[in-house]
Amino acid sequence: MERTLAEAVENTSGSLRSDALKERVRSASGRQLIFALIVAGLFTAIVSGFIFVLSTIVVFEKEAEKRELRSVSRVFENSKATILREIERFAASNAAYQNIDTRYSLPWVESRFGQEMAADYGHDLIFLVGRDGYPVYEKNNGKVETTAVPRFLIKGDVAALMRQVRTNYVVGLDRNNDGNTIFAGKNEDVSGLTTVKLGNHVGLVAVHAIIPDPGGIPMKAVAPYVLVAIHIMDDAYLKDLLEALSLDDISVAAEIPTGKIGVPISDTSEETLAYLVWRPAADASQTVLAWAPLLSAALLVILLLTMIALRQNYVATLALKRREQEAIQASRLDTLTGLARRDLFYEQASKTLEAQGDAKVWSAVVYLDMDFLKQTNDTYGHVIGDQLIINLTETVKSTCDKHDVFGRIGGDEFLLLMPGRASEAELLQDVAGLCVAINHEIVIDDLQVKVSCSMGIAMFPEHGETLPQLVRSADIALQRCKADGRGNYRMYDVAMDEALHEKRRIQEGLKRALERQEFVAFYQPIIAASSGRVAFAEALIRWKHPERGLLGPGAFLPVAEEDGSINALGAWILEQAISDASKWPETGVTVNVCASQLLEAGFVQRVADLIREYGLPPERLVLEITESVMMDRSGCIRQVFANLSDLGIAVAIDDFGTGFSSLSYLHEYRFQKMKIDRSFVSRIETDVEAGTIIRTMIGLAKVLGMTVVAEGVETEAQFKFLKRAQCDFLQGFYFDKPAPLEQVQQKLLLSA
């Protein structure tokens, strides 16, 4: 019984120990569960905080990327629109149509497209495509091998675009009341832009039909020539995009690399050829992921990093918005001067004119064009030319009223709206003051450079009720200012329009004058000062106009130089003079030659053929050129002079002292004769300095081994002075006026 009781106690004690153990187990399990829940809660909080932070950043970055994509797309489209505007300037032109469709002139095409267009806008490839769809002219700066390029001109997107342009052009042809063919379409109908693959490159291809602008010239009812300009999307192109976007990097890739975003570059069929890719500005998520192992340490750290990341993302968003606004603004501002470009100027100026309303004030548009900027760039370099542009910009800004609107619309062209003047006199006084402020000499890098600017003025609303009408009128006045000598200003009047019509009538007449043999040669004797004998006779062209009678060269030669017919006239007078002089016993002949003639292929050979055909000794032929020819310091010009010298033909520099003369030019080109301009001779009796200048010129010529001709001799006093000054030859009304061959022939025979 005692054993039974002991066993019972022992069993009870074991049961209690088992319950305590179970309780302890349950308690430990509860604490472990709580700890696990706490850990899980902390882990969940950390993970949730991390996910929240990361997802927030990703959302912000996606929005930022969308804005970057829109910004780059907008700048890319603006770039393409700029390329179309650039090609329009050269393709939509009366001169282009006349020198390509009307009468194809390779020298003009080379000068306009191969030199001016390539220099102004830096196109990598330029093609002029004929009516058959094949290139007739090509300009390549060497960046791309072009052996396969003509294929895309006759098939594919480019060929389709050119076909559409040609179709639109033909559809746009119409006839006016006189029955003449005119183009009644719009520029945008006959132009377009697409994208192509060129080997390893992607190129933007802009096309534009050759059309007259402003028109009013004869046209053919046929398919047009098409101008094609190609921009390779290389580092230079991407650099220009970066300047507008303020991105760190941008490149062209076949696919979008990991970690970057991109905008597709597609052709007209929406096929993606490549991508514009860059690393997005906002990439805070990468920073957060890099810190992921440490974020589990504490929620406080995660929250702190979240706040930092949010702030970084906020700052990045603000910066992106700012860059987007800067990119939009930059696309409408000139990068060199900060002035409004054409579109922005028109927008601002139109608003200013509209705000003026019916107020009794005076306003005007001034069209400014820097004179001789190309010559300055050729002589001193583009850095000096850019400094001249900046100087002009600062001068205009400092001189004009704060309400004036100023913009740069081309390389050397500017538009200025001067609104709200109290009177016409005040307005003209402001223009005159601006003209004086601009036209002066300045020093740039120790160089004394002359700033010359021509200006045309159109008053609102007398000369135009809309801004485009005012700009057109101001442009016409600008052309008159250039014709009158440059470096000044002219006010538009209706007579200038009549002058334009007169120029067009002259152009029409010139086209038929050679065929109808309406030109005649006049000759003016050149006297040897020592003997009084007629040594030479200068050949001068005259036009026996069927309606207006005999016209001097001033009535038609400037027009011929503009429309490209000057070379044909020069060839005619050269052959006529050589033919006539070959019949004279001993007297030589001098003939004026323009720069475009000298640059024609085979010019020297044609001269050699002519003197051989007519039997004229080469020493009896002198070719006169003006000083402007020397501004082209090309090896081609020097070689032409050298070849003429080898033939024994002398070259004289005409109108010396009135242009861009310099000792380096005289030494470099080695002229045989110098012709002193009549403006110096006319002042001999009234201006002591004129006499000193003439003696200096003669002395300089003697040192350089040249003979001297003084033109414009009209009095005995002038004759005696020049003879004492040891001038070799004399020419002017004092001896004889220009006359037809039959009147001069007898005098030449007697002189011999």
Side-chain angles (χ1 to χ4, degrees), residues 392-560:
L392 180 140
T393 301
E394 293 174 349
T395 301
V396 174
K397 286 182 177 179
S398 63
T399 305
C400 289
D401 186 270
K402 64 179 180 179
H403 300 296
D404 293 350
V405 183
F406 190 31
R408 185 185 183 194
I409 62 169
D412 55 1
E413 296 178 336
F414 300 81
L415 282 174
L416 172 65
L417 174 65
M418 305 178 73
R421 289 344 189 240
S423 65
E424 181 179 8
E426 179 185 340
L427 183 55
L428 293 178
Q429 183 179 358
D430 288 350
V431 172
L434 178 62
C435 185
V436 171
I438 292 175
N439 290 279
H440 64 287
E441 288 190 349
I442 62 173
V443 177
I444 301 177
D445 294 341
D446 297 327
L447 292 173
Q448 194 81 9
V449 183
K450 177 69 169 69
V451 181
S452 178
C453 181
S454 301
M455 299 188 290
I457 310 164
M459 305 291 290
F460 172 79
E462 290 83 354
H463 303 149
E465 296 183 353
T466 65
L467 187 61
Q469 291 172 348
L470 287 168
V471 171
R472 177 186 178 276
S473 298
D475 191 13
I476 292 173
L478 172 65
Q479 301 312 313
R480 169 58 63 85
C481 182
K482 289 183 177 181
D484 290 347
R486 304 175 184 264
N488 211 324
Y489 64 91
R490 290 290 182 272
M491 176 81 74
Y492 170 83
D493 63 52
V494 293
M496 293 180 182
D497 267 331
E498 177 57 32
L500 281 179
H501 293 311
E502 170 65 13
K503 183 165 71 173
R504 290 171 185 149
R505 287 193 290 268
I506 292 292
Q507 288 173 334
E508 291 295 322
L510 284 174
K511 294 175 184 176
R512 299 180 293 273
L514 273 175
E515 299 174 3
R516 297 176 179 177
Q517 298 182 348
E518 295 175 358
F519 292 106
V520 294
F522 275 43
Y523 295 92
Q524 186 176 28
I526 299 175
I527 308 300
S530 59
S531 64
R533 184 181 64 84
V534 178
F536 292 90
E538 181 177 4
L540 303 165
I541 193 169
R542 298 290 188 270
W543 183 6
K544 294 177 70 173
H545 196 282
E547 299 173 358
R548 302 169 61 183
L550 191 67
L551 297 180
F556 59 90
L557 285 187
V559 178

Side-chain angles (χ1 to χ4, degrees), residues 622-625 641 644 649-653 670-673:
V622 178
L623 300 182
E624 296 186 6
I625 60 97
F641 286 177
L644 289 171
I649 297 171
V651 179
I653 176 172
R670 295 291 184 180
F671 297 96
Q672 288 77 38
K673 294 181 182 292

Side-chain angles (χ1 to χ4, degrees), residues 163-403:
R163 285 195 297 273
Q164 184 62 50
V165 164
R166 285 194 170 95
T167 300
N168 293 346
Y169 176 93
V170 174
V171 170
L173 293 178
D174 200 353
R175 290 189 179 275
N176 60 16
N177 294 334
D178 297 330
N180 297 323
T181 300
I182 62 172
F183 178 71
K186 300 178 180 178
N187 280 359
E188 52 264 37
D189 297 333
V190 292
S191 64
L193 186 142
T194 188
T195 311
V196 298
K197 289 282 287 186
L198 292 173
N200 297 326
H201 299 279
V202 177
L204 299 176
V205 183
V207 303
H208 201 299
I210 300 297
I211 62 172
D213 185 18
I217 63 174
M219 293 184 63
K220 302 176 182 178
V222 295
Y225 282 74
V226 177
L227 182 61
V228 180
I230 304 173
H231 265 291
I232 302 302
M233 298 183 66
D234 54 8
D235 293 340
Y237 176 83
L238 296 175
K239 180 180 178 182
D240 290 338
L241 285 186
L242 281 174
E243 289 180 356
L245 289 166
S246 299
L247 292 175
D248 292 330
D249 70 288
I250 192 167
S251 60
V252 176
E255 300 291 339
I256 301 177
T258 302
K260 293 190 176 184
I261 59 177
V263 171
I265 304 171
S266 306
D267 58 19
T268 52
S269 62
E270 299 302 322
E271 179 182 352
T272 299
L273 304 180
Y275 295 86
L276 279 173
V277 300
W278 67 96
R279 187 171 300 280
D283 57 353
S285 60
Q286 300 300 320
T287 304
V288 174
L289 288 175
W291 285 91
L294 299 178
L295 293 176
S296 59
L299 179 60
L300 180 61
V301 176
I302 290 294
L303 294 177
L304 181 60
L305 291 177
T306 300
M307 294 176 63
I308 295 174
L310 288 174
R311 177 172 176 78
Q312 289 178 342
N313 195 268
Y314 176 72
V315 171
T317 302
L318 290 180
L320 181 61
K321 287 183 178 179
R322 185 175 64 255
R323 285 198 295 269
E324 184 177 357
Q325 293 297 322
E326 290 173 351
I328 295 173
Q329 190 71 1
S331 67
R332 308 183 73 190
L333 295 177
D334 177 57
T335 55
L336 178 63
T337 62
L339 296 176
R341 291 182 176 173
R342 182 187 295 268
D343 293 344
L344 182 57
F345 172 83
Y346 270 68
E347 178 184 315
Q348 294 174 341
S350 296
K351 289 180 179 178
T352 302
L353 284 177
E354 290 174 3
Q356 184 172 296
D358 297 329
K360 302 300 182 182
V361 292
W362 293 79
S363 302
V365 166
V366 182
Y367 204 130
L368 302 93
D369 188 294
M370 294 191 69
D371 302 323
F372 313 116
L373 182 61
K374 181 180 183 302
Q375 291 92 327
T376 301
N377 286 333
D378 292 343
T379 304
Y380 302 116
H382 285 271
V383 173
I384 300 299
D386 288 348
Q387 287 298 317
L388 284 179
I389 292 172
I390 294 172
N391 175 267
L392 180 140
T393 301
E394 293 174 349
T395 301
V396 174
K397 286 182 177 179
S398 63
T399 305
C400 289
D401 186 270
K402 64 179 180 179
H403 300 296

Side-chain angles (χ1 to χ4, degrees), residues 108-159:
W108 187 94
V109 170
E110 170 62 25
S111 174
R112 184 63 173 160
F113 299 148
Q115 297 179 17
E116 295 182 23
M117 182 176 179
D120 287 352
Y121 298 116
H123 299 297
D124 297 302
L125 296 171
I126 298 173
F127 289 96
L128 182 61
V129 182
R131 297 188 179 95
D132 58 358
Y134 288 87
V136 298
Y137 174 78
E138 173 187 342
K139 176 68 177 180
N140 182 2
N141 65 5
K143 288 186 179 179
V144 178
E145 176 59 43
T146 58
T147 55
V149 169
R151 289 202 297 273
F152 78 72
L153 295 175
I154 59 176
K155 67 179 183 179
D157 284 352
V158 178

